Amino acid sequence: MELRGLLAALAALAVLSEQVPSAFAAQGPALWPMPLSVQMTSSLLYLSPENFHITHDPSSKAGPSCALLQEAFRRYYDYIFGFRKWRHHPIKSHGKTDLQQLLVSVVLDSECEMFPNISSDESYTLLVKGPVAFLKANRVWGVLRGLETFSQLIYHDPYGAFIINESTISDSPRFPHRGILIDTARHYLPVKAILKTLDAMAFNKFNVLHWHIVDDQSFPYQSITFPELSNKGSYSWSHVYTPNEVRMVIEYARLWGIRVIPEFDTPGHTQSWGKGQKDLLTPCYSPHHPAAFGPINPILNTTYSFLSKFFKEISSVFPDWFIHLGGDEVEFACWESNPDIQNFMKQAGYGKDFRKLQSFYIQKLLDIISTLKKGSIVWQEVFDEQAKLQQGTVVQVWKQERYTNELNAVTASGFPVILSAPWYLDWISYGQDWIKYYEAEPLDFPGSQEQKQLVLGGEACLWGEYVDATNLTPRLWPRASAVGERLWSQKEIRNIDDAYKRLTVHRCRMVRRGIAAEPLFTGYCEM
């Protein structure tokens, strides 16, 4: 009798739940990052998984042959309707479908087969009004960003039906360079983890993966020209990125509208290089005999012969215009101990100023990259130590101390800049540290309007000393999301309370999409 009574009570509760809305009213859309212009009415449209389609406008410059968009349509259909979960758990029908189609139009040359670049047009407009919504963009890159916004507009009513407000959105990013740095040298990250990071980046409208691929600890990049670099410099033969895997990452990123910028940091941070390339590193003397090896040896012709061949390969493998050359944290003690370098310094008239020797090296490396028809990015030390930089060399500011002064100095000298100083996500702390990332403003530094136009954007950096595939995703997200909105949205979008509400919903949305983003604070996600 007790069992029958319990079953009857559960049946009655099920009937009641269909008649009475949930205690939590329908959650409205939570857009992240906030678009440039949003006009949203209270008029609701219903979508049915069986009857809704994303398709090309027949007049679009990018038609059905554009594989990039076809893949994006398939992806976002699944994101919107929960990866076909509705097929196993039918949604209660309202007997009508108000929005039947999202019609996508690319109005200029689509760039469908191209790779994104620093000047790629990511703007779009979105009109949601039944029975057909319209998404228009100049290039496919804007379509990708608009599809993300469209997917974020859709939510559930209390009965679980898919609904969307009639809306008009016009959007474009504030900065063209919005990056995430990953470090695959301190800990090897499986390709699967990198691809998952690219997914999450797209959900937050990041467009640059800064791949710090090698460092002192390991050399996981498998070079075709110099295979011994990874054979001897990686943690093991299973901890390498093969040419096919590198191509896979680059192409996967392209399908998301994300650039891949490789970093091969020299002359410091190169201990792993020396294991597979003889005579590349500087012998250190203590006091008269070689005891160890230091930075790359800058006085040998063989050094630059090697670098020319190596970076020729890198320039062909990575399609982006930029290569990051590093140049940070060069320790001079080893150079200072080496008698051959001491003699070179004397003959060159450098005295004991080893910054001049570093500048000598950097300038020769910049010449190599320029010959390869590529652009260079360097860490701020290269600028600080007064290397003669070529016009257009990008300086990345990473030191937290007085970084606003550094921004002023770099831009006053006419060089473009990327800001990372306030966004080192590997420096973890207790509490809602996303707020300090959100409040950092890239243009809050003294300087003219012309100087501020040289700020290309910024990057959130997650260095890998304490990060591998087990904690990469929750340490990145949603903390990096705060940086994403700061770099995409207008400066005036900075209300913390509103950001918290939207980011909480966005974090749950990422979790539903398979991104193990950590919680902002207490609460739960409705799955």
Side-chain angles (χ1 to χ4, degrees):
M1 292 294 293
E2 291 182 2
L3 179 58
R4 285 199 297 271
L6 177 60
L7 291 174
L10 289 173
L13 182 60
V15 171
L16 182 63
S17 68
E18 290 192 359
Q19 298 172 344
V20 181
S22 165
F24 293 91
Q27 174 106 41
L31 301 181
W32 194 279
M34 182 61 75
L36 176 63
S37 171
V38 179
Q39 295 176 331
M40 193 175 300
T41 76
S42 58
S43 298
L44 297 179
L45 304 172
Y46 287 87
L47 298 83
S48 165
E50 298 91 343
N51 299 318
F52 179 79
H53 305 282
I54 305 174
T55 188
H56 296 270
D57 185 326
S59 64
S60 174
K61 296 290 186 180
S65 63
C66 180
L68 182 147
L69 289 188
Q70 292 289 7
E71 172 63 18
F73 295 168
R74 180 202 61 78
R75 223 167 30 217
Y76 274 101
Y77 181 91
D78 284 344
Y79 290 142
I80 290 168
F81 296 116
F83 288 94
R84 298 173 295 277
K85 290 178 183 176
W86 58 271
R87 291 178 182 153
H88 305 289
H89 304 284
I91 298 298
K92 183 178 176 64
S93 173
H94 280 249
K96 63 176 183 176
T97 301
D98 294 322
L99 191 62
Q100 299 175 357
Q101 195 174 46
L102 174 64
L103 208 56
V104 176
S105 177
V106 179
V107 298
L108 297 177
D109 179 26
S110 69
E111 300 185 355
C112 188
E113 304 299 326
M114 297 175 63
F115 288 90
N117 58 63
I118 186 65
S119 60
S120 289
D121 187 344
E122 298 174 280
S123 65
Y124 66 92
T125 59
L126 178 61
L127 173 63
V128 179
K129 190 174 178 65
V132 178
F134 293 92
L135 171 59
K136 293 185 178 181
N138 293 325
R139 305 281 192 254
V140 291
W141 321 117
V143 172
L144 295 173
R145 306 302 171 233
L147 285 170
E148 177 59 35
T149 299
F150 179 76
S151 74
Q152 294 182 8
L153 284 170
I154 298 168
Y155 57 108
H156 297 100
D157 73 0
Y159 300 96
F162 295 95
I163 55 176
I164 189 170
N165 294 72
E166 289 192 343
S167 310
T168 302
I169 293 176
S170 178
D171 198 12
S172 59
R174 185 178 173 210
F175 294 102
H177 185 114
R178 307 177 307 281
I180 296 289
L181 179 148
I182 59 169
D183 173 3
T184 58
R186 278 54 181 261
H187 284 98
Y188 174 85
L189 296 175
V191 170
K192 182 179 179 181
I194 298 176
L195 301 185
K196 184 70 72 174
T197 300
L198 290 167
D199 290 343
M201 288 173 62
F203 301 154
N204 293 272
K205 295 189 172 74
F206 283 96
N207 67 348
V208 175
L209 179 71
H210 176 168
W211 192 353
H212 186 89
I213 194 167
V214 303
D215 209 293
D216 280 331
Q217 291 78 10
S218 72
F219 198 105
Y221 172 79
Q222 189 177 79
S223 170
I224 299 171
T225 313
F226 299 98
E228 290 301 288
L229 289 170
S230 60
N231 286 348
K232 296 181 178 179
S234 63
Y235 284 131
S236 77
W237 286 359
S238 63
H239 292 88
V240 300
Y241 301 105
T242 66
N244 282 339
E245 288 173 328
V246 172
R247 281 193 293 270
M248 180 194 304
V249 170
I250 293 169
E251 176 60 16
Y252 193 91
R254 188 185 79 86
L255 294 176
W256 277 122
I258 295 173
R259 302 158 54 205
V260 178
I261 297 180
E263 180 183 352
F264 290 90
D265 191 358
T266 67
H269 291 277
T270 49
Q271 288 299 299
S272 66
W273 299 54
K275 296 177 181 178
Q277 184 64 24
K278 185 180 178 182
D279 297 329
L280 179 65
L281 302 185
T282 304
C284 311
Y285 286 75
S286 180
H288 301 295
H289 302 285
F293 293 93
I296 283 179
N297 192 331
I299 68 171
L300 301 179
N301 290 334
T302 53
T303 292
Y304 302 103
S305 175
F306 161 77
L307 291 172
S308 294
K309 294 174 184 175
F310 179 75
F311 279 105
K312 182 179 181 180
E313 174 186 324
I314 298 306
S315 69
S316 65
V317 169
F318 291 89
D320 200 82
W321 168 252
F322 287 104
I323 299 174
H324 203 302
L325 303 177
D328 64 314
E329 298 179 322
V330 181
E331 296 180 1
F332 296 148
C334 181
W335 282 352
E336 191 173 3
S337 75
N338 186 289
D340 293 331
I341 288 184
Q342 291 172 11
N343 186 50
F344 180 90
M345 293 278 289
K346 183 177 180 180
Q347 292 182 5
Y350 292 164
K352 294 186 179 299
D353 189 352
F354 286 90
R355 296 180 304 172
K356 293 181 178 179
L357 181 60
Q358 181 182 357
S359 295
F360 169 82
Y361 169 86
I362 291 291
Q363 285 162 220
K364 289 181 76 71
L365 180 56
L366 289 172
D367 287 341
I368 291 171
I369 302 303
S370 178
T371 301
L372 295 170
K373 304 284 192 274
K374 290 283 188 174
S376 300
I377 305 175
V378 295
W379 294 110
Q380 71 178 74
E381 288 96 322
V382 175
F383 171 83
D384 294 342
E385 291 162 9
Q386 301 177 348
K388 293 180 181 178
L389 300 181
Q390 298 169 355
Q391 186 177 9
T393 301
V394 179
V395 178
Q396 187 160 0
V397 174
W398 70 273
K399 294 185 177 181
Q400 284 203 324
E401 302 82 15
R402 299 182 297 278
Y403 72 80
T404 56
N405 293 341
E406 185 77 9
L407 290 172
N408 185 33
V410 174
T411 55
S413 298
F415 295 107
V417 69
I418 297 168
L419 178 63
S420 290
W423 297 316
Y424 265 45
L425 305 190
D426 49 302
W427 296 352
I428 60 174
S429 59
Y430 186 78
Q432 298 191 51
D433 55 358
W434 70 271
I435 296 176
K436 68 180 180 182
Y437 304 137
Y438 190 79
E439 291 181 329
E441 169 49 49
L443 300 187
D444 277 353
F445 66 93
S448 66
Q449 190 60 36
E450 289 75 15
Q451 285 178 250
K452 294 183 179 182
Q453 289 175 352
L454 289 170
V455 179
L456 301 179
E459 290 182 356
C461 300
L462 189 63
W463 296 99
E465 288 87 349
Y466 304 98
V467 175
D468 65 8
T470 66
N471 62 347
L472 169 73
T473 301
R475 192 161 290 189
L476 258 180
W477 311 104
R479 296 158 81 230
S481 302
V483 184
E485 178 152 292
R486 183 55 51 234
L487 294 174
W488 179 279
S489 304
Q490 294 302 292
K491 182 178 182 179
E492 296 72 27
I493 304 297
R494 54 191 317 109
N495 183 291
I496 296 298
D497 291 337
D498 175 69
Y500 175 81
K501 293 174 185 176
R502 289 185 293 112
L503 187 53
T504 300
V505 176
H506 182 57
R507 176 258 169 176
C508 290
R509 179 164 53 225
M510 287 195 285
V511 171
R512 286 193 296 272
R513 294 180 179 184
I515 305 301
E518 68 180 16
L520 276 76
F521 193 51
T522 57
Y524 73 101
C525 293
E526 290 187 350
M527 305 305 287

